[in-house]
Amino acid sequence: MKKLFLVANWKEHKTLSEAHQFMISFLGNDLLSYLAKNVSVDRKIILCPSFILLPELAGLLHEFHLSGKIKLGAQNISPYPDGPHTGEVSARQIAEFASYVIIGHSERRREYNESDEILEKKVSAALEQNITPIFCVSDKDEFIPSGVTLVAYEPVDAIGTGSPDDPKSAQAVASYIKEKKHIHYVLYGGSVTSRNVDLYIQQPDIDGVLVGGASLDPVEFSQIIQNANPLL
Ligand code: PEP
C-alpha cells in the first residue's frame, strides 16, 4: 500500500492552550471521517510541536483513541545520551512521546551551526531509541547519515517564502536521492498549502510533504491532508 507522510512542523509556535485549541478543531472537522473512508493509502500524519507540547498532545491523542492514526515528532534531539547537557532533550526522553524527529532542518543548520558530524550523532541517538529521523536536505548532494530512510527535500528559497519549488524539479531531486542515496521515502517541503499539495503528491517519487506555516491552522492542515491524493 502506498505510504504518504503528512508532517506538520510547528517550529517555535503555540502555547499549551493554543495547541489544545488546534487539536480540538483539527480532530473536530471532517478529517476523521475522511480518514475512515479513504483507506487505500496509508497516511502517516505526524505533528511536530515544541518539546513542551509533546506530553499534552500525546495525552489528547490517547484520550481520542488516535495514537495509532496520528503520530508525534520532535523538532530536534540531543546528540548525546542522558547526562550533563544543560538545555538538551535526549532521545530516551523524546521516545516517551514521539516516534519521529526532524533532524537537519535548514533553520537549525543556519542558526545553530549544526555540522554533518553533529547531525550524524543526532541520527544515531534517534535510531538507538527507535525514533525515525525525518532528515532534511536542501540540496540533492547534501550529506545523509547512514541509517536514514526518510528524507525531506526542502530548498531554502522555498521555505516560508510563498514561492514553492517547481514540482517537476522537486520530483527530479526526489528520484535522484532515492536512486543514488538509497533512501526509501522522500518528502517535499517549502511553502506547501492545500492549493498546491497535490502537485507534489502526484509526482512518482514524492512520498509526502513537510509543512511549516500552513500546518499552524487546523482547518488548512486538515485540508492539506484531504487534498493530498497520490496517483495510484
Ligand atoms: C519548513 O520549515 O520545514 C517549511 C517547509 O516551512 P513552510 O511550509 O512554511 O515553507
Side-chain angles (χ1 to χ4, degrees):
M1 192 190 291
K2 169 91 179 163
K3 268 194 189 147
L4 201 59
F5 295 83
L6 302 143
V7 186
N9 176 12
W10 285 359
K11 310 193 185 188
E12 194 187 53
H13 293 287
K14 295 197 190 296
T15 62
L16 199 55
S17 72
E18 288 162 357
H20 200 274
Q21 278 164 23
F22 174 100
M23 290 304 273
I24 300 303
S25 165
F26 185 58
L27 303 176
N29 71 31
D30 305 333
L31 179 66
L32 297 181
S33 53
Y34 174 85
L35 293 176
K37 275 191 232 133
N38 291 272
V39 290
S40 57
V41 174
D42 179 9
R43 289 182 173 77
K44 308 276 181 207
I45 300 171
I46 305 164
L47 302 177
C48 304
S50 304
F51 287 130
I52 54 159
L53 304 174
L54 284 170
E56 172 74 6
L57 295 199
L60 274 176
L61 291 175
H62 183 71
E63 200 178 298
F64 282 83
H65 304 288
L66 287 171
S67 310
K69 275 207 172 69
I70 301 177
K71 299 290 181 191
L72 296 177
Q75 296 173 18
N76 185 26
I77 192 166
S78 172
Y80 310 112
D82 299 18
H85 306 290
T86 303
E88 291 290 334
V89 181
S90 75
R92 204 173 71 93
Q93 293 174 304
I94 291 169
E96 281 198 289
F97 306 107
S99 37
Y100 291 85
V101 60
I102 298 172
I103 298 178
H105 194 283
S106 58
E107 288 159 8
R108 292 206 59 87
R109 291 176 192 257
R110 188 177 65 240
E111 293 169 9
Y112 302 96
N113 297 319
E114 292 192 347
S115 62
D116 289 347
E117 198 189 352
I118 285 287
L119 297 178
E120 199 167 26
K121 286 198 172 115
K122 290 186 175 205
V123 166
S124 304
L127 292 175
E128 262 172 41
Q129 292 293 327
N130 292 322
I131 300 171
T132 304
I134 302 170
F135 193 81
C136 301
V137 298
S138 53
D139 180 274
K140 69 183 184 8
D141 286 313
E142 201 141 55
F143 168 72
I144 299 174
S146 78
V148 168
T149 54
L150 176 56
V151 161
Y153 167 57
E154 300 207 302
V156 176
D157 291 350
I159 297 181
T161 57
S163 303
D165 199 20
D166 172 58
K168 288 271 176 255
S169 68
Q171 155 59 26
V173 173
S175 156
Y176 179 93
I177 290 173
K178 283 185 171 176
E179 199 188 316
K180 300 275 195 260
K181 313 279 175 114
H182 310 293
I183 295 297
H184 289 62
Y185 302 109
V186 178
L187 318 185
Y188 166 73
S191 299
V192 170
T193 67
S194 60
R195 288 174 305 285
N196 64 22
V197 63
D198 237 13
L199 302 176
Y200 298 97
I201 294 302
Q202 293 187 352
Q203 303 299 327
D205 290 298
I206 296 181
D207 304 293
V209 284
L210 175 50
V211 188
S215 74
L216 295 172
D217 176 347
V219 176
E220 172 66 359
F221 190 53
S222 168
Q223 206 54 59
I224 287 175
I225 294 166
Q226 294 178 60
N227 289 359
N229 292 303
L231 300 171
L232 293 176

